[in-house]
């Protein structure tokens, strides 16, 4: 009888092993198919360069039709690129990886330029190198063509598939966008010329661009550096329909000979397919290796909502020892506001028994703290029944960084004031309040008088101090329910919410002029600026946000041309108020 039991046990274990092997085979086949069909060339080779495997795109790049297994990779690399390839292999040997190395492949049809990246790994105890080769021949040809005359440049960039644009480094406004932007982002070129650069990127990419522009600005200070600063970056752009489009932006610093100002030339192309292929490869590989080797992250097993198992890493995440969790209801350790989400996902997990589920929520620590986690959950056999295995990764630091990035994207880095984009959102809300209360909203568009002289005399560093002090003074002149934003340069916008008379705007304008005109203390120096203010009222002047801002801006420029250091209502721009004696 014992022998029969042992046979059944062995039979069950054999069936379970076969199921796992079959699952591994399916995952491997998916990975191999994605590997073969990827739009980027991939090859696996030994440290001495002998090819072990390759995909169809790699064969196309090398101009070969048959398999390349067993052949030396160096045989397909142009002699001009042999040194670069050797140096990249030395980098892989020393640090384990190399990235963005440009090589030229020679083939029977035509040479092509590729961007080469590689990393080393072990497979079955053997050291191998995994390389990817992205065809950048078209991009390099476009960049070379841009060196021709202005007439040839215009003809090329207006018809090229890639999106080309130029924006001023100082103002971040576009001066040229080619028509290809319509197919990439859905905007007309004219629309983009009216809005700043950051309006067309996600908050995360805006921070990346800001860092690149700091580097470009520093490069401007180096004599004769025109054209030497270059950067290639993957960025998430915002389509007109609200979707996100991944692009590869190649940027170069250029100087406008007519104005002497520095611009950024950008060559941009969609990498949506490449991103999708990379994501699919990553997901397939993640599933494959998860079946082979379980992650060392915090892991728990749950059945009927109760912890059956917890590994030691759970203590680092939650503060609880594994034995303290066993037998406890898992929702008791989930942040109250997230319990409905977690329970719903736990129930839905059983409707699709083959796929993994991944999402984010907060957990309660033993010490009362709260941590963000990303959970990856899958059904597994557990003591003859189905249970849910959960891998938990602590993403608290990433969440905190995302919150900081969102703040940076909507606030001016120098003054800390809201940007015009955030001010527009608040203005829309203020107009709704005014309609309900039958009140008004006042827009005070202002520009500092004499600020350029301070920059020329004391330098941009002290000029920035004036802008920072101006921001503080403006906040002191308004109520908490009002908004002060920096439009750009030395221009600011004050939005007075829920006012009932033009006199309220006049009072605030007078107070601003008096406050701003007071001398600024600048590291042992004193400097004074004036302020020209244009005032538009809702609903008196317009009910449209963009029109209100335009009218206030127009009134401000009327004051600046005629009297300066004063203010005028849109309805009275012919007669701005007198300056203070």
């Amino acid at each position: 009888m014992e022998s029969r039991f042992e046979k059944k046990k062995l039979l069950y274990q054999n069936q379970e092993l076969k199921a796992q092997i079959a699952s591994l085979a399916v995952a491997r086949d998916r990975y191999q198919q994605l590997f073969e069909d990827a739009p980027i060339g991939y090859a696996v080779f030994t440290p001495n360069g002998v090819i072990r495997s390759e995909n169809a795109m790699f064969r196309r790049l090398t101009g070969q039709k048959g398999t390349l297994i067993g052949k030396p990779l160096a045989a397909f690399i142009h002699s001009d690129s042999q040194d670069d390839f050797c140096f990249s292999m030395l980098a892989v040997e020393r640090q384990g990886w190399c990235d963005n190395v440009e090589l030229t492949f020679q083939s029977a049809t035509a040479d092509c330029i590729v961007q080469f990246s590689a990393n080393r790994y072990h497979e079955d105890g053997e050291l191998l190198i995994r390389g990817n080769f992205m065809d950048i021949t078209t991009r390099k040809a476009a960049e070379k063509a841009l060196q021709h005359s202005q007439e040839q440049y215009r003809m090329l960039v207006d018809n090229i598939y890639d999106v080309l644009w130029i924006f001023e480094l100082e103002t971040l406004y576009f001066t040229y966008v080619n028509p290809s932007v319509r197919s990439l982002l859905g905007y007309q070129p004219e629309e983009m010329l009216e809005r700043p650069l950051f309006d067309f990127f996600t908050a995360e990419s805006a921070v990346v661009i800001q860092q690149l522009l700091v580097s470009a600005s520093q490069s401007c200070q180096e004599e004769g550096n025109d054209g030497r600063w270059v950067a290639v970056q993957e960025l998430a752009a915002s389509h007109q329909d609200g979707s996100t489009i991944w692009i590869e932006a190649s940027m170069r610093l250029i100087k406008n000979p007519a104005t002497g100002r520095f611009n950024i030339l950008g060559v941009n192309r969609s990498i949506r397919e490449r991103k999708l292929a990379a994501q699919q490869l990553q997901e397939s590989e993640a599933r494959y290796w998860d079946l082979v080797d379980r992650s060392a992250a915090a892991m728990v097993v749950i059945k009927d909502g109760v912890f059956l198992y917890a590994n030691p890493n759970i203590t680092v995440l939650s503060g609880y020892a594994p034995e303290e969790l066993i037998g406890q209801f898992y929702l008791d350790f989930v942040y109250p506001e997230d319990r409905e989400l977690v329970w719903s996902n736990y129930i839905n997990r059983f409707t699709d028994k083959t796929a993994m589920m991944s999402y984010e929520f907060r957990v309660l620590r033993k010490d009362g703290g709260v941590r963000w986690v990303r959970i990856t959950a899958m059904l597994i056999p557990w003591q003859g029944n189905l249970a849910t295995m959960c891998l938990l990764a602590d993403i608290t630091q990433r969440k905190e960084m995302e919150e900081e990035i969102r703040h940076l994207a909507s606030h001016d880095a120098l003054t800390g004031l809201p940007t015009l984009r955030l001010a527009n959102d608040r203005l829309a809300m203020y107009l709704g309040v005014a309609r309900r209360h039958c009140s008004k909203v006042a827009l005070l568009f202002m520009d500092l008088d004499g600020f350029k002289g301070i920059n020329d005399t004391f330098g941009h560093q002290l000029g920035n101090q004036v802008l920072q002090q101006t921001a503080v003074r403006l906040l002191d002149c308004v109520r908490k329910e009002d908004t002060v934003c920096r439009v750009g340069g030395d221009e600011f916008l004050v939005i007075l919410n829920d006012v009932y008379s033009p006199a309220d705007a006049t009072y605030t304008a007078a107070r601003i002029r008096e406050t701003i005109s007071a001398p600024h203390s600048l590291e042992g120096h004193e400097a004074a600026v004036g302020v020209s203010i244009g005032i538009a009222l809702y609903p008196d002047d317009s009910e449209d946000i963009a029109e209100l801002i335009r009218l206030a801006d127009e009134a401000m420029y009327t004051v600046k041309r005629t009297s300066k250091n004063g203010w005028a209502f849109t309805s009275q721009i012919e007669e701005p108020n007198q300056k203070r004696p």
Side-chain angles (χ1 to χ4, degrees):
M1 184 171 180
E2 182 179 351
S3 175
R4 238 187 351 247
F5 175 79
E6 290 294 333
K7 287 181 180 180
K8 288 183 178 180
K9 181 178 179 181
L10 288 173
L11 179 60
Y12 174 79
Q13 291 175 343
N14 186 42
Q15 290 173 343
E16 186 179 57
L17 180 59
K18 287 181 178 180
Q20 292 177 350
I21 292 174
S23 179
L24 285 171
V26 171
R28 181 195 60 209
D29 291 343
R30 289 178 183 172
Y31 174 79
Q32 284 296 121
Q33 190 61 43
L34 288 172
F35 177 82
E36 178 67 17
D37 297 339
I40 298 176
Y42 288 99
V44 175
F45 50 93
T46 64
N48 60 0
V50 177
I51 298 173
R52 286 293 185 83
S53 65
E54 85 290 340
N55 69 348
M57 177 56 72
F58 181 82
R59 293 190 291 273
R60 188 185 71 79
L61 292 174
T62 57
Q64 305 297 313
K65 295 183 178 179
T67 180
L68 305 179
I69 296 176
K71 297 183 179 181
L73 176 59
F76 305 103
I77 297 175
H78 196 279
S79 58
D80 293 342
S81 295
Q82 289 289 343
D83 288 344
D84 291 335
F85 178 65
C86 290
F87 284 128
S88 64
M89 288 299 94
L90 284 175
V92 173
E93 179 181 350
R94 293 174 181 174
Q95 66 187 21
W97 58 273
C98 69
D99 196 19
N100 295 336
V101 179
E102 290 186 6
L103 302 174
T104 301
F105 273 177
Q106 58 185 3
S107 67
T109 54
D111 294 346
C112 67
I113 304 173
V114 298
Q115 193 172 72
F116 170 57
S117 300
N119 66 284
R120 66 187 182 199
Y121 71 103
H122 287 84
E123 182 175 308
D124 296 331
E126 181 182 10
L127 178 62
L128 295 174
I129 298 174
R130 181 190 294 113
N132 63 73
F133 304 80
M134 182 176 68
D135 187 355
I136 59 171
T137 307
T138 304
R139 190 188 80 194
K140 298 298 290 186
E143 291 176 353
K144 184 177 180 180
L146 288 174
Q147 300 174 5
H148 292 320
S149 67
Q150 181 66 28
E151 181 179 351
Q152 293 172 318
Y153 165 78
R154 272 287 179 179
M155 183 175 60
L156 172 67
V157 299
D158 281 349
N159 295 280
I160 198 170
Y161 174 77
D162 292 342
V163 174
L164 276 74
W165 58 44
I166 301 174
F167 62 87
E168 289 189 344
L169 183 58
E170 181 180 356
T171 65
L172 302 184
Y173 273 80
F174 294 101
T175 59
Y176 173 76
V177 182
N178 77 338
S180 297
V181 75
R182 290 193 290 263
S183 60
L184 181 64
L185 299 181
Y187 291 97
Q188 297 293 335
E190 297 77 15
E191 293 179 87
M192 299 191 66
L193 297 178
E194 299 173 356
R195 295 167 59 183
L197 173 70
F198 291 141
D199 281 3
F200 301 96
F201 291 93
T202 64
E204 294 80 0
S205 287
V207 174
V208 174
I209 294 172
Q210 195 170 41
Q211 293 170 347
L212 291 173
L213 296 183
V214 169
S215 173
S217 298
Q218 293 171 347
S219 181
C220 291
Q221 301 172 8
E222 302 175 13
E223 186 175 354
N225 202 28
D226 179 18
R228 295 184 185 176
W229 180 90
V230 294
V232 179
Q233 183 68 48
E234 293 182 359
L235 300 169
S238 300
H239 194 276
Q240 189 183 38
D241 62 10
S243 62
T244 298
I245 303 296
W246 277 98
I247 65 171
E248 180 184 72
S250 301
M251 292 171 279
R252 180 180 295 273
L253 182 67
I254 60 175
K255 191 173 185 178
N256 188 329
T259 64
R261 294 182 176 180
F262 283 96
N263 297 333
I264 299 292
L265 167 66
V267 181
N268 312 273
R269 63 169 48 186
S270 172
I271 55 172
R272 179 187 299 180
E273 291 78 12
R274 190 176 82 191
K275 278 286 186 181
L276 180 60
Q279 181 181 354
Q280 291 173 340
L281 281 172
Q282 183 179 7
E283 290 174 353
S284 177
E285 189 174 3
R287 291 189 182 100
Y288 175 79
W289 287 112
D290 183 75
L291 292 170
V292 176
D293 187 15
R294 296 300 186 187
S295 171
M299 186 183 79
V300 296
V301 177
I302 301 171
K303 183 178 181 300
D304 298 330
V306 174
F307 289 110
L308 301 180
Y309 168 81
N311 72 348
N313 290 327
I314 197 68
T315 305
V316 179
L317 177 64
S318 68
Y320 291 96
E323 56 270 18
E324 294 181 276
L325 296 176
I326 304 304
Q328 299 294 320
F329 189 53
Y330 81 105
L331 280 184
D332 291 341
F333 302 90
V334 176
Y335 191 72
E337 293 181 7
D338 297 340
R339 288 173 182 170
E340 183 177 351
L341 167 69
V342 174
W343 179 252
S344 174
N345 284 331
Y346 178 75
I347 297 301
N348 293 337
R349 179 67 193 86
F350 291 91
T351 63
D352 185 355
K353 298 181 179 180
T354 59
M356 291 189 297
M357 177 178 289
S358 185
Y359 58 96
E360 299 170 0
F361 64 96
R362 290 162 289 184
V363 297
L364 299 172
R365 282 181 52 84
K366 187 176 182 179
D367 58 12
V370 177
R371 305 295 292 179
W372 274 97
V373 298
R374 182 170 186 82
I375 182 174
T376 301
M378 66 190 76
L379 290 178
I380 62 170
W382 184 271
Q383 298 178 355
N385 296 298
L386 284 178
T388 303
M389 185 186 75
C390 306
L391 301 177
L392 303 168
D394 191 337
I395 59 170
T396 305
Q397 186 176 9
R398 192 200 82 195
K399 283 290 186 178
E400 292 171 349
M401 290 177 63
E402 288 175 353
E403 182 60 32
E404 183 178 354
I405 288 171
R406 279 191 289 270
H407 177 81
L408 289 174
S410 60
H411 288 74
D412 177 54
L414 178 64
T415 63
L417 294 176
T419 61
L420 183 59
R421 186 176 183 179
L422 178 57
N424 277 333
D425 294 339
R426 293 187 181 177
L427 181 55
M429 180 178 65
Y430 292 169
L431 297 188
V433 173
R435 281 191 289 269
R436 292 193 298 273
H437 293 182
C438 297
S439 58
K440 303 178 184 295
V441 176
L443 281 74
L444 283 66
F445 200 109
M446 59 196 69
D447 182 275
L448 299 183
D449 301 325
F451 177 73
K452 184 179 182 300
I454 292 177
N455 267 343
D456 294 342
T457 303
F458 301 109
H460 289 283
Q461 183 174 354
L462 296 187
N464 286 342
Q465 291 184 23
V466 171
L467 294 176
Q468 290 169 334
Q469 293 177 20
T470 297
V472 173
R473 295 182 184 186
L474 287 174
L475 290 172
D476 289 339
C477 293
V478 300
R479 305 163 298 175
K480 290 183 178 180
E481 59 265 31
D482 300 326
T483 292
V484 178
C485 82
R486 184 185 178 199
V487 178
D490 59 347
E491 292 183 338
F492 297 86
L493 178 67
V494 171
I495 307 173
L496 302 180
N497 178 35
D498 206 17
V499 297
Y500 288 88
S501 168
D504 296 329
T506 301
Y507 172 79
T508 303
R511 187 176 179 189
I512 288 174
R513 183 180 66 177
E514 180 180 358
T515 303
I516 298 301
S517 300
H520 293 262
S521 178
L522 305 173
E523 298 181 3
H525 304 282
E526 279 198 354
V529 295
V531 60
S532 297
I533 307 173
I535 306 173
L537 294 174
Y538 167 88
D540 306 50
D541 298 319
S542 177
E543 297 185 6
D544 179 71
I545 291 177
E547 180 66 8
L548 285 169
I549 295 175
R550 187 193 69 79
L551 291 172
D553 183 34
E554 184 178 286
M556 178 273 291
Y557 273 108
T558 300
V559 175
K560 203 166 186 67
R561 288 194 302 267
T562 56
S563 60
K564 293 188 178 181
N565 201 26
W567 67 85
F569 285 87
T570 296
S571 58
Q572 300 173 334
I573 57 175
E574 298 296 331
E575 301 176 1
N577 66 290
Q578 295 182 352
K579 296 197 318 181
R580 177 174 295 193

